[in-house]
Amino acid sequence: EITAAALGRIHSVLELSRRTPVLRSLDELLRVAAEVASTKRELIYTTVSMDRALVQLVFLRQWFGNLGARARNVLLVGANEHTCQVIREASIPCFADAAAPTQRGRQNGFGSQVTLKWWYARVLAEARFHLIFSDPDVVWLRDPFAHWERSFDFQGLSDIRSVNLTVQSHHEITCMRPWMENMCAAARALTPSRPSRAAPGHAHDNMQHA
C-alpha cells in the first residue's frame, strides 16, 4: 500500500524530471540524485533505451509500479531524449543522459545503455550513494532496500545462468561471453565502501576496452 505522502513524493520526482529533462553535467546529475535519494542516500536506478515496439515501456511499468512507495527513490536514466519523452508520458520520471562521455566497447546490441549503466554506477558510488541497479525487466516483490543483506560491499543476482539451458542462436546467453563473465547480473547492490566504489569503475573500463 502506498501512502498519500509517498505518492506525493513520486509526483515531485516526476515534476523534477520535467523541469530537468536532460542531465547535462556531472554537477546536475549529483544534484538530481541527491533530490531523488532517500535521507539515507539510497537510490534505485536503471538505464534504458526505448525500442520501436515499446516493449521496454511494458517492462518499466511493472518495474516501477511493483516498487510501491520505494519508487520515490528511483533514478531512471534514458539513453536519449526520445526515450524519456515516451517514459514521462506514462507518468514515470525519466532523466535523459547528456552527462556521460561517449561510450565505447561492446554493448550487446542494446545500445549505449549497457556501458552507460556502469558509468553511472561509478559516479554515483564515488558520490557515496547506496545503490541498487537492476535491469527494467526485473520484477520486484518487495522493497529491495528493506530486504537486502547489507553486510556485503557488493552483491549481484545472476542474470540467465542455467546449466540446463540450451544455447541457440535465437536465445543467446550473453553472460557466457568471456568479456561479460563476472559482470552479468540482473540486479546489483553497492554500499559506499571503498571496494564498492572501485567495482563499477573496473567493470566500466573492462567493457570500454573489450
Side-chain angles (χ1 to χ4, degrees):
E1 184 177 346
I2 304 180
T3 65
L7 285 173
R9 182 75 176 87
I10 293 169
H11 180 74
S12 71
V13 176
L14 177 60
E15 290 303 307
L16 175 63
S17 73
R18 288 169 174 159
R19 295 194 306 272
T20 311
V22 182
L23 301 173
R24 300 191 181 280
S25 68
L26 179 58
D27 287 343
E28 193 163 61
L29 163 61
L30 296 180
R31 176 184 62 79
V32 166
E35 289 191 49
V36 174
S38 72
T39 56
K40 297 179 180 179
R41 294 181 67 80
E42 297 168 330
L43 276 176
I44 299 175
Y45 87 102
T46 192
T47 54
V48 66
S49 181
M50 191 55 62
D51 58 296
R52 189 171 298 178
L54 304 185
V55 174
Q56 291 293 325
L57 184 59
V58 175
F59 289 151
L60 283 169
R61 284 181 186 274
Q62 63 82 19
W63 180 85
F64 189 79
N66 283 5
L67 282 169
R70 182 56 80 168
R72 67 191 184 277
N73 302 128
V74 163
L75 179 66
L76 198 164
V77 177
N80 50 62
E81 291 187 56
H82 169 71
T83 289
C84 279
Q85 287 172 358
V86 172
I87 294 171
R88 281 194 296 270
E89 286 176 3
S91 297
I92 299 174
C94 183
F95 302 86
D97 168 65
T102 301
Q103 301 298 301
R104 303 184 306 275
R106 304 188 189 189
Q107 296 171 1
N108 274 353
F110 288 105
S112 62
Q113 72 180 66
V114 176
T115 48
L116 199 63
K117 66 186 177 186
W118 288 107
W119 184 86
Y120 272 84
R122 163 188 259 171
V123 169
L124 294 170
E126 288 175 350
R128 306 296 182 93
F129 287 96
H130 293 261
L131 299 177
I132 287 182
F133 169 84
S134 85
D135 296 333
D137 57 353
V138 165
V139 177
W140 297 112
L141 301 180
R142 299 180 182 178
D143 176 356
F145 272 115
H147 297 84
W148 210 286
E149 173 55 58
R150 300 198 185 210
S151 62
F152 298 96
D153 294 315
F154 185 99
Q155 301 171 70
L157 298 178
S158 180
D159 188 6
I160 314 178
R161 173 64 75 176
S162 173
V163 296
N164 297 318
L165 192 60
T166 301
V167 180
Q168 301 289 346
S169 59
H170 63 277
H171 192 170
E172 182 180 13
I173 309 306
T174 57
C175 296
M176 292 181 176
R177 296 180 183 182
W179 58 274
M180 281 290 290
E181 193 62 52
N182 299 324
M183 292 190 298
C184 194
R188 307 157 191 87
L190 296 81
T191 65
S193 68
R194 182 175 295 179
S196 288
R197 297 200 305 273
H202 290 315
H204 180 260
D205 290 345
N206 186 56
M207 295 185 75
Q208 288 278 284
H209 298 98

